[in-house]
Amino acid sequence: MPLVSTLSLWQSTAPLPGYGPLRSDIEVDVAVIGAGITGLTAALLLKRAGQRVAVLEARTVGSGVTGFTTAHITEALDTRWFRLIKNFGRDGAGIAARSQRAAIERISALIAEEEIECQFRRLPGWLFTEEDRGVIELEQEAETTRALGLHVSFAEPPLPFPVKAALRFDDQAQFQPLRYLAALATAVHGGGSFIADRTRVVDVEDGEPCRVQTEGGTVVCRDIFVATHSPVNDRLLLQTKLSQYRSYVVTVRGRGQSPAGLFWDTVDPYHYVRTAEDDGGWFLVVGGADHKVGQNPDTVAAYRHLRDWIRPRFSTSMLQGKHPVEHEWSAQVVETVDGLPYVGRNPTNGHVWVATGYAGNGMTHGTMAAILISDLICGRRNEWADLYDPARIKPVSSFKEWIRENVDYPLHFVADRLKRPAARSVEDVPRGEGRIAEIVGERLALHRDEAGMLTALSPVCTHMGCEVRWNPDARSWDCPCHGGRFAPDGQVLDGPPIRPLRRKKLSITEDVRKTDPSTAIVRRLGLAVALGGMLFGKLGLDPAVAVIKRRRERGRVVTQAWTRWTILGAAGMMAAALARVRENFAAPGCQGTRRVSLAADTLFAIACLTGAMNLVCGVLLTRTAKGGAVPIETGLRSGPAMTLRQRRLHRTMVVGGWTQLAALAGALALQSPSQGRASLI
Ligand SMILES: Cc1cc2nc3c(=O)[nH]c(=O)nc-3n(C[C@H](O)[C@H](O)[C@H](O)COP(=O)(O)OP(=O)(O)OC[C@H]3O[C@@H](n4cnc5c(N)ncnc54)[C@H](O)[C@@H]3O)c2cc1C
């Protein structure tokens, strides 16, 4: 089966520029946080207006949601226009319609002015329904959109499957979003403005001047535009009006004539479809299966759903190969309670500006936000400002939605903490997976990478304290309350959190690692034989031989006992060493346990070395006396008749023996059953 890429189609086909991190303090007119479509469009418009701009990007240009979009550029918003009229009145909806058209035209103008090669193409959009009840919805939408001045009509869509009705939106568009973004970035960087990537903003301070703290330096500026998709500067005011959904996309290589157009059905969550050119061929790009972030335990099923949706609708003659899915990716959409984004001055701030809540319409909303914010920062009037004001409250229209979205927070905050953890021990965390576990009474987010290494984190989201959940598809820790997402090492990926999940140190001893239990038994048995034999020699045999009167006889007994024991002890040490190597190969351990493991292994190595040294000395010593009758007092004390060489060899063996005993005891103690569970250190 061919591999499916989890990079988006755009990431696989667009080289993106890199700039390097901020390394010192700097002063500019405007700091823009985030290098997605919103931040880079705003930065370019501000630069063109004569501002010195710094774009600060935590990762790289286009690494945010813009890299994972499907880039339908459309006025057919996720929230139906008849609902927007209900929420904002005819005038408000009219302003929204004009702003969307302006955004499409601005994208088109920027492409022409900057001569951007990004497969920009004007084409119609189709809102279609396969259900009878969807027809009424389409009729209602047609009536509203016509009244708002949009060009719509009922027509037959160029789809290879039957539909009940389809509403055609004229003059929509599509493009390759990352080629567009790369060109915007190139236009922004230079001439007094710059982009710093791998520069995470850790604090935003309003004032005159404002300050943006990053990991590499402070940016002092007059205005700050937070263009991070989900605002990282807001904990409460905006976040309670936002909800984060995850949306999924698959691509399939097509053949023959491609169905040109943008397509959306009327089910909830809806499916969105377009095609994309690629090296003379084309891809079918289908998205949907949305769910609230952190609230769908089977995210892999979302891709299955999309494949199952495609199969009966697009004939095999249209799609290539037996397993035609080439890309699968997912990312986040931010929705507002009243259906329009929040764009403008951050509530409670003077010089901090935000833009968020685009739902699945970030190409137009992001561009609209960039136009609006650059106007406001430059002191230009803009008729859209009141409509999109982040401080707006629509009590009647959005109250129900507000309750529905916010009941999640207290519910998850309390209920998730009472839930039985998915893992009872570190052994229950398979490779490449994450699990919530309870270790000595504390809940932990445990992740084991493909090499077997464990990472332990606090599962408490650093935004507002809910417990994160493992997302097996995106391999991330997702927060079900406000959609924060964290990488397996705890670093922030998405959403409102600004700080990573707290690291926890685990002390995990060998027997809880995910290895064959018989290996641990062999290792312990080997160590026990070696240690037991030595203790018997020192505590039992040594005092016992002291009662033998004849010194020669004593020497012979000690030599006989030592020779036999040495064979057994060496076999035990060898077995323990082999088992240890096997264990380390199978499960290299856990971050935080490495020091314990290293100490145990060092002690074991000392025991092996001193054991080998004693073996050599013992053989040399027995050779010095006839029949092995070395004239010793006891195993630990030299006899008066011993030669200088015999004394030296014997003393070395005594010191080596005690060292070996101590090292073996230490190695075993660090792996003893009493410490054989994971514990926090
Ligand atoms: C699957 C999917 C399909 C979609 N399809 C469409 C579509 O067809 N049409 C459409 O119009 N919209 C679509 N959308 C929505 C659209 O893609 C997004 O709304 C849009 O890309 C958001 O752009 P942005 O610039 O605001 O955010 P992003 O592109 O996410 O950029 C924000 C940037 O901020 C950076 N950042 C975050 N925190 C920090 C920090 N602390 N310091 C510094 N930088 C930080 C991030 O790394 C990121 O690069 C889709 C969304 C998804 C998930």
Side-chain angles (χ1 to χ4, degrees), residues 311 319 497 623:
R311 210 168 293 128
L319 307 175
R623 277 197 192 154

Side-chain angles (χ1 to χ4, degrees), residues 224-282:
I224 302 171
F225 178 25
V226 182
T228 51
H229 193 230
S230 177
V232 293
N233 58 321
D234 177 83
R235 279 185 99 74
L236 205 61
L237 282 174
L238 272 180
Q239 290 299 338
T240 57
K241 301 195 284 180
L242 298 173
S243 42
Q244 308 243 4
Y245 285 77
R246 199 132 191 103
S247 194
Y248 296 79
V249 180
V250 300
T251 75
V252 182
R253 203 175 270 281
R255 64 175 156 206
Q257 186 68 28
S258 71
L262 309 173
F263 307 93
W264 320 282
D265 68 11
T266 51
V267 297
D268 184 19
Y270 74 99
H271 301 95
Y272 44 100
V273 181
R274 63 166 276 190
T275 57
E277 297 157 35
D278 174 68
D279 277 345
W282 58 276

Side-chain angles (χ1 to χ4, degrees), residues 37-48:
I37 189 168
T38 311
L40 287 176
T41 312
L44 181 56
L45 298 181
L46 286 162
K47 181 182 172 183
R48 284 180 172 188

Side-chain angles (χ1 to χ4, degrees), residues 33-39 56-60 63-66 68-72 199-201 227-229 232 247 249 272 331-333 358-364 498:
I33 309 172
I37 189 168
T38 311
L56 308 167
E57 166 55 50
R59 289 169 288 179
T60 50
S63 61
V65 183
T66 308
F68 297 90
T69 184
T70 47
H72 298 216
T199 300
R200 183 168 290 280
V201 169
T228 51
H229 193 230
V232 293
S247 194
V249 180
Y272 44 100
Q332 226 136 299
V333 291
Y358 304 158
N361 307 112
M363 300 300 101
T364 48
I498 210 160

Side-chain angles (χ1 to χ4, degrees), residues 29-46 53-56 201 204 210 212 221-229 231-233 342-346 351-356 358 365-374 376-377 390:
D29 297 320
V30 185
V32 174
I33 309 172
I37 189 168
T38 311
L40 287 176
T41 312
L44 181 56
L45 298 181
L46 286 162
V53 185
V55 179
L56 308 167
V201 169
V204 172
C210 298
V212 181
C221 52
R222 196 192 58 239
D223 289 280
I224 302 171
F225 178 25
V226 182
T228 51
H229 193 230
V232 293
N233 58 321
Y342 299 113
V343 181
R345 198 188 301 273
N346 189 47
H351 291 274
V352 180
W353 309 84
V354 288
T356 186
Y358 304 158
H365 281 327
T367 308
M368 172 278 292
I371 300 169
L372 176 53
I373 296 291
S374 58
L376 295 175
I377 286 178

Side-chain angles (χ1 to χ4, degrees), residues 351-576:
H351 291 274
V352 180
W353 309 84
V354 288
T356 186
Y358 304 158
N361 307 112
M363 300 300 101
T364 48
H365 281 327
T367 308
M368 172 278 292
I371 300 169
L372 176 53
I373 296 291
S374 58
D375 278 354
L376 295 175
I377 286 178
C378 295
R380 293 189 292 255
R381 238 191 65 75
N382 187 310
E383 69 151 348
W384 315 335
D386 289 345
L387 179 73
Y388 293 113
D389 185 358
R392 74 174 182 266
I393 298 173
K394 298 271 158 200
V396 180
S397 57
S398 54
F399 185 67
K400 223 171 81 192
E401 196 65 12
W402 188 86
I403 293 285
R404 198 166 70 92
E405 295 297 349
N406 281 283
V407 75
D408 278 354
Y409 176 56
L411 198 76
H412 286 294
F413 189 87
V414 178
D416 287 2
R417 284 175 160 76
L418 301 175
K419 261 196 195 151
R420 275 238 317 268
R424 296 171 68 103
S425 88
V426 292
E427 280 186 305
D428 298 337
V429 187
R431 286 171 188 241
E433 292 288 338
R435 296 280 185 276
I436 298 292
E438 197 167 297
I439 308 277
V440 274
E442 184 167 351
R443 289 173 84 89
L444 294 176
L446 295 180
H447 174 259
R448 191 187 292 280
D449 67 16
E450 295 297 346
M453 191 67 76
L454 266 177
T455 304
L457 303 166
S458 159
V460 178
C461 176
T462 53
H463 174 232
M464 282 179 72
C466 290
E467 188 173 282
V468 295
R469 294 171 180 184
W470 179 246
N471 176 341
D473 158 52
R475 296 188 171 215
S476 58
W477 293 106
D478 296 358
C479 177
C481 290
H482 301 102
R485 287 182 57 244
F486 302 86
D489 66 357
Q491 290 304 317
V492 179
L493 290 176
D494 263 320
I498 210 160
R499 281 173 294 114
L501 292 177
R502 261 190 30 239
R503 280 226 172 213
K504 292 282 181 175
K505 284 189 175 169
L506 268 185
S507 160
I508 299 171
T509 45
E510 312 302 303
D511 57 332
V512 292
R513 292 186 187 176
K514 194 146 185 68
T515 55
D516 180 358
S518 60
T519 312
I521 292 171
V522 169
R523 174 176 45 75
R524 285 231 197 78
L525 212 61
L527 284 176
V529 165
L531 185 71
M534 294 199 74
L535 283 175
F536 172 72
K538 300 216 177 319
L539 303 177
L541 183 68
D542 210 54
V545 292
V547 298
I548 301 175
K549 289 246 163 22
R550 290 179 57 213
R551 198 168 280 141
R552 275 181 64 81
E553 194 58 25
R554 245 183 272 153
R556 201 171 286 131
V557 170
V558 169
T559 305
Q560 283 281 322
W562 181 84
T563 309
R564 283 185 193 153
W565 140 246
T566 297
I567 295 168
L568 201 66
M573 296 283 280
M574 185 75 82

